Amino acid sequence: MNKGRFLMLLVCCQLFLLACDSQPSGKDEIDVKVENLLAQMTLEEKVGQMNQYNGFYDVTGPAPAEGDAKNKYEHIKSGWVGSMLNVRGANEVRKMQSLAVDSSRLGIPMIFGFDVIHGHKTLSPIPLAEAASWDLEAIEKSARIAAIEASAEGINWTFAPMVDISRDARWGRVMEGAGEDTYLGSRIGVARINGFQGDDLSAHNTIAACAKHFAGYGFAEAGMDYNTVDVGTVTLHNVIFPPFKAAIDEADVKTFMNSFNIINGIPATANKFLQRDILKGEWGFDGFVISDWSSGAEMIAHGYAKDLEHVAELATNGGSDMDMESYANIKHLVKLVEAGKVKESTIDEAVKRVLRVKYELGLFDDPFKYCDETREKELIYHADHMAAALDMAKRSIVLLKNENNVLPLAKEQKKIAVIGTLADDKDSPLGNWRMAGEDNTAISVLEGLDAYGVNYKYAEGAELVTGPTAFPVELEINTTDKSGFKEAIALAKQSEVVVMVLGEHGLHSGEGRGRANLGLPGVQQELLEAVYKVNKNIVLVLMNGRPLTITWADEHVPAIVEAWQLGTQTGHAVAQVLFGEYNPAGKLPMTFPRHVGQVPIYYNQYSSGRPGPKTEVFWPHYMDESEKPLYPFGYGLSYTKFDYTDLNINVLEGRKVEVSVVVTNSGDRVGEEVVQLYLHDKVASVVRPVKELKGFEKISLEPSQTYKVVFTLSEKELGFYNGQGEFVVEPGDFGVMVGTSSVEGLTSEFELK
Ligand code: BGC
């Protein structure tokens, strides 16, 4: 190249670099726009962005008296409403949005939030069931489809995923999370957010996600919803926080929701430590925080705020940016700023966060981009969505017991009895938190068997009371009516195999649906035992939104299939698993207790000072029940068999450890296996759990096929948070287990220098 051309190239390069330099990036551009808009806003309009109103249906909590429709319309037109929840349908959203865009002074679009929890109209399995798949790709796809359907109905923000870790099956909301484990919960939370938000948030078919409930909500004492949370800093930093932090670091989640509970004496909604120091400070979260439904006003009952004005002051200063259904901000924030109790700069900071997300969604470019009736018609219940929901449903099923290979059943099998009212239910399998879902739209188990061409006879056996449906709440979930027993017993007597579909109704779990008993509700246990007396060849298909204490069934019944609440495609999924068209591969995301008295029970416990020998009285155990779980975390069988060999550990430079294992399908069917890696930091400055999941891989193997799984552990997996919330990696000895569940695998150890 001659000198002249070289100089020319140099100049061109410099010009190009200059151009890049002066051109603000997408984020910077948005910041400029946000600042410009903010400069034009009155204090009232700013406060409006911190206010969310509920639509006119789907109330999920007590509705305040002020919530009448007329006020809301006027407030929207005045620019005092930044967001609505529970408005859906392209047409409805357009009408509401045009009030804000066409009638308010600055025409700032509203953001429309909705609980899109497990699917939207096409319902996928409840989140706890999806978690049992350990299949991140399928889970992300499920959230993607939910976003496609929700955005076609005008929605651009979901209040999901719930990433609360919970170890207490009594808590009704375990159905909405990913179970008891922080590592699995973090991975699943990230997958869900990626599914909702996609690659491009400004696209018309992606929606903003919300990591909730920050923080500690899943640790409500005694598993009772809304109850007090009191946890130490080590649990907070190592168990509760990581899924929230991963939501920011790994998925750029746009919003957070705080929670109803107090945590260590301070309500989460006004908790500066959580929202200002950790979330917006240490973690650098730049989205916005919404309160939970009236969680602001509830600080009065907690004894933290004296009145609603105090609520607005405490919540806003505490880092809560938008008020859902407390009516505190809209009523009091302007006054509070004028009185100097809340700084205008604090309001500005909150408003900027809200506006930024609206810009990122592209709402300022086209506020009506989610309101397209053609898309709505085409996409809701799309055949591809149904197919994906079926795939997800099959992946969520866990085979808990299969003595003498009772399963899979043969289609040609004569005389199959199906017993249990849940088998004939088209509603319960949809589960709770299916806000846009239409009642009775699930394929029931009976319909699934029909479609699969199975000959069977059916008896209801016992009815199941629905549980709380609306306000006022009906608490009774049990029935004492045994009039159906006779027919069921007679049918069982003349059958070769009895498929019993028992469990909870879909509305026995979810918000406000705590249970102090974890057995089968109503007379179902009696029904099971009565049928067993005449026919022992029972396949129990469980439908439930939480772990249940099915200890008797485990001792007696030869085959048990955990089928949760699997959504729209339930019946097809169950039929395909029962008859072997699909080989189940799910693994439990939550420990099943033997007895409710063991709860909270979870696999990653600390060792007591007296782990054994277990020959005397004075060690941690019960006198009247085993201390062991019924089914441990990570457990689940297959119709084939997987052998683990050749566990190998390599400590590498730079604090990396490579762990490999060879897995062989030694059975005669193709099958999937979730290979799980658990670590134990044996001696540390803060005592570490006896084992912790730190890696997993789901593999599919043909009969006789062998596969080597390699995990690479880095500081992230090897370290932990100490009592000061600092992340530390300490040298020393580590135990490793790689296997098929949290209690079964090959073990070895290594030393970290
Ligand atoms: C729940 C939230 C939900 C909100 C809006 C509250 O009762 O706790 O998780 O997003 O209602 O429906």
Side-chain angles (χ1 to χ4, degrees):
M1 187 186 295
N2 69 33
K3 206 174 157 197
R5 282 178 75 178
F6 176 74
L7 280 176
M8 187 111 111
L9 192 71
L10 202 69
V11 171
C12 286
C13 285
Q14 272 171 345
L15 279 175
F16 174 73
L17 287 176
L18 262 178
C20 293
D21 228 27
S22 58
Q23 214 148 65
S25 68
K27 224 170 176 144
D28 294 344
E29 247 179 74
I30 285 179
D31 284 343
V32 172
K33 288 180 183 166
V34 166
E35 290 291 349
N36 286 343
L37 181 56
L38 191 77
Q40 301 169 51
M41 293 170 79
T42 63
L43 181 56
E44 284 78 3
E45 285 164 343
K46 289 178 187 173
V47 167
Q49 291 304 307
M50 299 169 70
N51 177 39
Q52 182 190 60
Y53 280 156
N54 183 44
F56 310 107
Y57 44 85
D58 284 337
V59 175
T60 59
E66 294 88 342
D68 67 282
K70 191 162 164 286
N71 265 351
K72 287 179 185 172
Y73 284 123
E74 291 314 313
H75 285 191
I76 296 171
K77 287 202 258 177
S78 307
W80 296 347
V81 188
S83 171
M84 296 286 296
L85 83 147
N86 293 334
V87 179
R88 68 180 166 88
N91 188 35
E92 282 289 301
V93 173
R94 182 185 301 104
K95 278 197 280 186
M96 212 63 99
Q97 186 70 297
S98 68
L99 289 178
V101 173
D102 303 329
S103 306
S104 73
R105 192 179 73 91
L106 292 170
I108 301 175
M110 294 192 290
I111 175 169
F112 289 85
F114 199 80
D115 291 287
V116 184
I117 307 295
H118 54 108
H120 185 60
K121 301 285 283 189
T122 305
L123 292 165
S124 44
I126 56 168
L128 185 66
E130 285 197 351
S133 73
W134 297 52
D135 194 321
L136 300 178
E137 216 177 289
I139 292 173
E140 179 172 335
K141 188 169 176 193
S142 163
R144 184 84 279 282
I145 288 169
I148 291 172
E149 289 200 0
S151 61
E153 276 215 314
I155 290 152
N156 38 48
W157 176 23
T158 172
F159 305 125
M162 183 185 100
V163 295
D164 295 308
I165 298 302
S166 185
R167 298 162 164 178
D168 196 327
R170 292 170 298 181
W171 191 48
R173 294 192 83 165
V174 296
M175 56 80 52
E176 202 185 335
E180 75 188 36
D181 184 63
T182 299
Y183 182 85
L184 179 64
S186 302
R187 302 278 68 74
I188 289 178
V190 166
R192 288 194 166 127
I193 296 163
N194 286 337
F196 290 130
Q197 297 192 164
D199 295 335
D200 174 10
L201 194 64
S202 71
H204 64 198
N205 62 4
T206 55
I207 60 180
C210 179
K212 71 186 187 185
H213 305 84
F214 197 60
Y217 185 41
F219 276 67
E221 282 180 356
M224 198 162 62
D225 214 355
Y226 318 116
N227 209 7
T228 303
V229 174
D230 207 350
V231 287
T233 46
V234 171
T235 300
L236 196 59
H237 286 283
N238 289 287
V239 180
I240 294 173
F241 280 169
F244 288 101
K245 187 165 188 311
I248 302 169
D249 294 348
E250 296 172 45
D252 194 18
V253 71
K254 292 297 158 190
T255 71
F256 260 55
M257 185 184 289
N258 53 41
S259 53
F260 293 123
N261 54 283
I262 63 168
I263 176 160
N264 303 335
I266 314 287
T269 305
N271 200 309
K272 277 191 181 149
F273 165 70
L274 289 178
Q275 299 178 131
R276 294 223 177 267
D277 299 350
I278 298 289
L279 177 60
K280 294 175 178 178
E282 218 172 280
W283 296 351
F285 174 63
D286 64 1
F288 70 88
V289 181
I290 172 104
S291 80
D292 202 348
W293 181 288
S294 79
S295 65
E298 289 170 21
M299 295 196 293
I300 301 172
H302 281 306
Y304 193 69
K306 62 176 182 298
D307 53 26
L308 206 57
E309 180 173 330
H310 200 195
V311 165
E313 178 189 336
L314 291 168
T316 305
N317 286 337
S320 186
D321 302 310
M322 190 185 273
D323 172 6
M324 180 195 288
E325 286 296 300
S326 283
Y327 293 72
N329 288 356
I330 193 66
K331 283 187 170 172
H332 299 290
L333 266 186
V334 171
K335 270 187 295 183
L336 285 163
V337 173
E338 286 163 359
K341 289 187 174 165
V342 175
K343 291 196 190 119
E344 185 153 0
S345 58
T346 305
I347 304 286
D348 287 353
E349 184 242 19
V351 176
K352 281 198 256 182
R353 288 173 178 275
V354 174
L355 292 178
R356 203 179 297 134
V357 174
K358 291 186 178 182
Y359 273 110
E360 286 181 44
L361 280 165
L363 280 169
F364 283 92
D365 298 327
D366 180 1
F368 301 103
K369 63 198 263 202
Y370 304 92
C371 307
D372 176 346
E373 278 86 350
T374 318
R375 285 185 64 232
E376 189 173 24
K377 259 193 223 114
E378 274 172 18
L379 293 172
I380 302 291
Y381 297 132
H382 192 285
D384 292 350
H385 301 178
M386 290 292 189
L390 174 57
D391 183 58
M392 189 72 248
K394 289 189 281 191
R395 288 173 189 277
S396 304
I397 292 174
V398 186
L399 182 62
L400 295 176
K401 191 177 173 194
N402 194 17
E403 218 169 66
N404 304 327
N405 295 331
V406 171
L407 288 174
L409 300 173
K411 233 179 178 177
E412 311 71 51
Q413 195 142 7
K414 306 255 167 10
K415 298 191 180 166
I416 300 175
V418 181
I419 294 175
T421 188
L422 283 171
D424 194 23
D425 199 321
K426 292 179 64 58
D427 198 53
S428 173
L430 298 174
N432 206 337
W433 277 120
R434 28 110 161 194
M435 304 288 283
E438 289 172 64
D439 295 350
N440 294 309
T441 49
I443 304 289
S444 72
V445 171
L446 295 188
E447 287 172 332
L449 294 175
D450 290 340
Y452 201 65
V454 178
N455 270 322
Y456 64 87
K457 287 199 174 128
Y458 170 68
E460 184 190 31
E463 63 168 8
L464 199 63
V465 179
T466 322
T469 46
F471 301 92
V473 168
E474 188 52 66
L475 279 177
E476 181 57 69
I477 60 168
N478 290 323
T479 171
T480 50
D481 181 4
K482 296 190 210 161
S483 55
F485 275 34
K486 211 169 143 207
E487 187 196 346
I489 292 166
L491 176 62
K493 254 189 200 157
Q494 19 147 316
S495 304
E496 285 173 16
V497 58
V498 187
V499 176
M500 294 195 74
V501 185
L502 305 177
E504 297 180 307
H505 188 274
L507 296 176
H508 287 169
S509 58
E511 187 176 344
R513 271 87 166 168
R515 287 187 64 203
N517 298 297
L518 293 176
L520 298 168
V523 291
Q524 294 180 100
Q525 180 63 35
E526 281 179 70
L527 176 67
L528 176 61
E529 291 182 29
V531 168
Y532 182 80
K533 273 197 187 129
V534 299
N535 190 337
K536 296 192 172 20
N537 202 22
I538 294 176
V539 174
L540 173 60
V541 176
L542 275 182
M543 288 189 169
N544 43 319
R546 52 158 65 80
L548 295 178
T549 50
I550 46 150
T551 313
W552 186 92
D554 178 66
E555 274 164 25
H556 297 86
V557 170
I560 305 178
V561 174
E562 174 53 80
W564 316 102
Q565 285 126 10
L566 296 173
T568 306
Q569 297 289 316
T570 293
H572 293 319
V574 170
Q576 290 186 26
V577 165
L578 290 183
F579 289 88
E581 171 136 353
Y582 182 83
N583 186 356
K587 302 275 186 177
L588 293 178
M590 235 184 138
T591 304
F592 272 44
R594 309 178 63 84
H595 188 280
V596 69
Q598 296 175 307
V599 173
I601 182 168
Y602 48 96
Y603 83 95
N604 48 353
Q605 292 171 324
Y606 299 108
S607 173
S608 76
R610 298 181 175 191
K614 300 171 184 176
T615 49
E616 301 158 21
V617 175
F618 304 108
W619 59 282
H621 71 296
Y622 301 103
M623 288 190 296
D624 54 356
E625 181 55 270
S626 160
E627 73 285 0
K628 297 239 164 62
L630 181 63
Y631 303 119
F633 174 83
Y635 169 81
L637 305 172
S638 163
Y639 293 151
T640 187
K641 205 175 153 293
F642 298 100
D643 296 335
Y644 284 69
T645 54
D646 303 291
L647 177 61
N648 199 21
I649 300 182
N650 232 333
V651 183
L652 309 170
E653 288 296 303
R655 285 186 151 170
K656 282 207 162 47
V657 181
E658 203 180 78
V659 180
S660 65
V661 75
V662 173
V663 186
T664 306
N665 179 351
S666 58
D668 53 8
R669 281 171 180 266
V670 60
E672 287 182 302
E673 166 75 333
V674 180
V675 182
Q676 304 162 40
L677 182 149
Y678 295 86
L679 263 194
H680 178 203
D681 185 346
K682 291 187 171 176
V683 180
S685 58
V686 171
V687 171
R688 305 305 303 136
V690 289
K691 60 184 74 155
E692 286 181 292
L693 182 74
K694 291 294 179 183
F696 64 89
E697 194 175 326
K698 192 167 185 178
I699 56 172
S700 174
L701 296 180
E702 298 286 334
S704 308
Q705 197 186 346
T706 282
Y707 184 79
K708 183 172 172 184
V709 180
V710 183
F711 298 97
T712 306
L713 304 171
S714 62
E715 292 203 334
K716 208 169 167 198
E717 289 80 32
L718 297 165
F720 60 88
Y721 290 90
N722 65 19
Q724 288 69 50
E726 296 151 352
F727 190 76
V728 291
V729 185
E730 295 180 349
D733 292 335
F734 285 75
V736 179
M737 187 184 86
V738 182
T740 187
S741 80
S742 63
V743 299
E744 200 187 331
L746 302 177
T747 57
S748 185
E749 46 194 53
F750 65 87
E751 188 189 345
L752 190 73
K753 301 274 186 217

